[in-house]
């Protein structure tokens, strides 16, 4: 669905965000190989249930198909993507090239990320770039949208129209650091924020009332499907900044069907998040097909995924 006639797509996600609707997004990983069918199948289960599907860009520094390519494939199947762009692997020339290409191909939603360090991934000896970080990437997107490049030179073949978002971690231990990063990303042009997985909803409430209040930008709380007590303990060990409470782990341990219990927990968290912020970002690694049932359990109605051109 390339943007061949300079028409600016008015996407479902952007339209809903600007209208103040409750937003639902979900995350799908690109394939680790040349066959995208599994990714397509998983994303298809989300059609009509989420406003857009995030396509990760080398999450945890693990090599997978290009997020831009995977986003185009989903768009061809009528699924609106949010293309994650990490700074780890490209310099400012490569990043700008991909962003202009995304616009030309009709990929308008971008999540600007710094990226995980290569040493935690599957190519620990690879050379990291990190020419810029997420805040500078947001600033670069703003410039491209204004018709100028990183060095403020005109773009002779036209500006982009990208809807840029950023990550936020309301559970960050440093409150002042959290506030500083949020305000810098806001000032740099972030139009929406998706959070890391949330387990402390009192902390989320504090973030919403003390830091995000008045920003007038959608905050989507990260909701993660825990499949078992073992899965929860692994995440506590492996994911920095995450602390899944013991009472949730105990609940999963006691359950006859841990996966079903994990779905109930996720649905309960969606209900809580709905009272605090403008959306949820659903994560169910390798079980994206369970996101729709979780949303049903939480009472979240289907959404319209129609993509129209201005």
């Amino acid at each position: 669905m390339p943007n061949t006639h300079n028409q600016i797509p008015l996407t479902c996600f952007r339209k809903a965000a600007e209208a103040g609707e409750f937003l639902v997004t979900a995350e799908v990983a690109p394939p680790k190989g040349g066959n995208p069918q599994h990714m397509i199948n998983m994303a298809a289960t989300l059609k009509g249930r989420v406003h857009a599907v995030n396509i990760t860009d080398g999450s945890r520094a693990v090599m997978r198909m290009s997020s831009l390519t995977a986003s185009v494939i989903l768009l061809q199947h009528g699924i609106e993507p949010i293309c994650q762009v990490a700074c780890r692997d490209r310099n400012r020339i490569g990043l700008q090239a991909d962003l202009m290409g995304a616009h030309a191909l009709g990929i308008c939603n971008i999540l600007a990320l710094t990226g995980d360090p290569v040493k935690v991934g599957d190519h620990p000896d690879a050379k990291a770039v990190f020419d810029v970080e997420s805040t500078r990437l947001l600033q670069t997107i703003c410039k491209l949208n204004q018709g100028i490049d990183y060095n403020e030179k005109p773009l002779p073949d036209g500006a982009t129209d990208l809807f840029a978002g950023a990550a936020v971690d309301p559970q960050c231990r440093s409150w002042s650091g959290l506030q500083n990063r949020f305000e810098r990303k806001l000032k740099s042009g972030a139009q929406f924020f998706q959070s890391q997985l949330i387990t402390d909803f009192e902390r989320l409430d504090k973030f919403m009332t003390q830091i995000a209040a008045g920003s007038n930008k959608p905050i989507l709380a990260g909701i993660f499907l825990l499949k078992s007590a073992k899965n929860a303990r692994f995440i506590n060990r492996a994911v920095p900044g995450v602390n899944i409470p013991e009472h949730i782990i105990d609940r999963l341990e006691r359950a006859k069907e841990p996966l079903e219990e994990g779905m109930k927990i996720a649905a309960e968290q969606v209900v809580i998040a709905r009272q605090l912020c403008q959306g949820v970002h659903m994560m169910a690694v390798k079980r994206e097909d369970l996101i729709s049932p979780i949303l049903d359990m939480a009472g979240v109605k289907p959404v319209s995924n129609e993509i129209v051109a201005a």
Side-chain angles (χ1 to χ4, degrees), residues 59-74:
S59 178
R60 295 181 293 111
V62 172
M63 183 279 297
R64 287 179 178 272
M65 182 184 286
S66 151
S67 59
L68 177 55
T69 301
S71 293
V72 171
I73 291 170
L74 288 197

Side-chain angles (χ1 to χ4, degrees), residues 25-71:
T25 58
E27 194 162 283
V28 172
K32 195 172 176 67
N35 185 348
Q37 194 57 53
H38 178 71
M39 175 192 72
I40 294 167
N41 293 345
M42 289 295 99
T45 68
L46 301 167
K47 205 170 182 180
R49 296 313 313 260
V50 303
H51 292 91
V53 174
N54 277 54
I55 298 297
T56 57
D57 184 14
S59 178
R60 295 181 293 111
V62 172
M63 183 279 297
R64 287 179 178 272
M65 182 184 286
S66 151
S67 59
L68 177 55
T69 301
S71 293

Side-chain angles (χ1 to χ4, degrees), residues 5-306:
H5 301 292
N6 294 323
Q7 291 181 317
I8 306 302
L10 182 59
T11 67
C12 170
F13 178 67
R14 184 172 187 168
K15 185 177 179 182
E18 293 177 348
E21 295 178 21
F22 183 76
L23 302 171
V24 185
T25 58
E27 194 162 283
V28 172
K32 195 172 176 67
N35 185 348
Q37 194 57 53
H38 178 71
M39 175 192 72
I40 294 167
N41 293 345
M42 289 295 99
T45 68
L46 301 167
K47 205 170 182 180
R49 296 313 313 260
V50 303
H51 292 91
V53 174
N54 277 54
I55 298 297
T56 57
D57 184 14
S59 178
R60 295 181 293 111
V62 172
M63 183 279 297
R64 287 179 178 272
M65 182 184 286
S66 151
S67 59
L68 177 55
T69 301
S71 293
V72 171
I73 291 170
L74 288 197
L75 195 59
Q76 290 171 342
H77 285 79
I79 300 162
E80 181 173 339
I82 297 174
C83 182
Q84 294 188 3
V85 177
C87 299
R88 176 191 56 243
D89 306 317
R90 284 153 286 186
N91 64 15
R92 64 194 71 181
I93 299 171
L95 288 166
Q96 290 177 98
D98 281 352
L99 290 166
M100 290 186 290
H103 167 87
L105 291 165
I107 308 297
C108 298
N109 306 315
I110 304 291
L111 187 73
L113 301 170
T114 298
D116 300 311
V118 294
K119 65 181 180 180
V120 304
D122 61 351
H123 287 64
D125 296 326
K127 185 176 181 179
V129 179
F130 292 117
D131 185 25
V132 297
E133 40 67 54
S134 58
T135 303
R136 289 278 182 87
L137 180 56
L138 287 165
Q139 293 167 1
T140 301
I141 293 170
C142 277
K143 288 180 179 181
L144 294 176
N145 284 347
Q146 294 164 11
I148 56 177
D149 68 11
Y150 185 93
N151 294 326
E152 301 191 357
K153 302 294 184 183
L155 299 175
D157 295 311
T160 61
D161 186 47
L162 301 171
F163 191 58
V168 66
D169 184 7
Q171 296 172 155
C172 176
R173 291 180 182 179
S174 170
W175 196 248
S176 60
L178 171 61
Q179 182 166 10
N180 179 57
R181 283 191 295 275
F182 179 79
E183 290 176 354
R184 283 181 61 212
K185 289 179 179 181
L186 197 62
K187 188 177 180 181
S188 297
Q191 299 299 308
F192 65 94
F193 291 85
Q194 291 175 318
S195 91
Q196 309 287 2
L197 77 94
I198 299 293
T199 55
D200 186 343
F201 287 88
E202 289 184 6
R203 184 82 168 178
L204 175 63
D205 189 18
K206 184 180 177 183
F207 167 76
M208 291 301 302
T209 55
Q210 296 187 15
I211 294 179
S215 68
N216 200 32
K217 302 298 180 186
I219 311 292
L220 284 73
I223 307 295
F224 193 93
L225 172 62
L226 298 169
K227 304 179 187 75
S228 65
K230 181 181 178 181
N231 178 222
R233 292 192 182 100
F234 170 78
I235 290 168
N236 272 349
R237 288 195 310 271
V239 182
V242 172
N243 181 25
I244 298 166
E246 203 60 39
H247 70 86
I248 289 180
I249 296 175
D250 289 343
R251 184 172 162 185
L252 290 164
E253 195 112 67
R254 292 194 307 268
K256 290 182 179 179
E257 299 290 342
L259 182 59
E260 289 182 13
E261 195 66 24
M263 292 173 67
K264 290 178 185 176
I265 291 167
E268 291 164 8
Q269 291 176 338
V270 170
V271 172
I272 297 169
R274 200 170 186 176
Q275 299 168 13
L276 302 176
C277 56
Q278 196 186 325
V280 288
H281 177 56
M282 307 296 295
M283 294 169 277
V285 179
K286 296 181 180 178
R287 290 309 308 265
E288 291 87 354
D289 56 305
L290 297 179
I291 290 175
S292 289
I294 291 168
L295 293 172
D296 285 337
M297 292 165 66
V300 177
K301 295 179 180 178
V303 303
S304 169
N305 286 112
E306 182 182 2

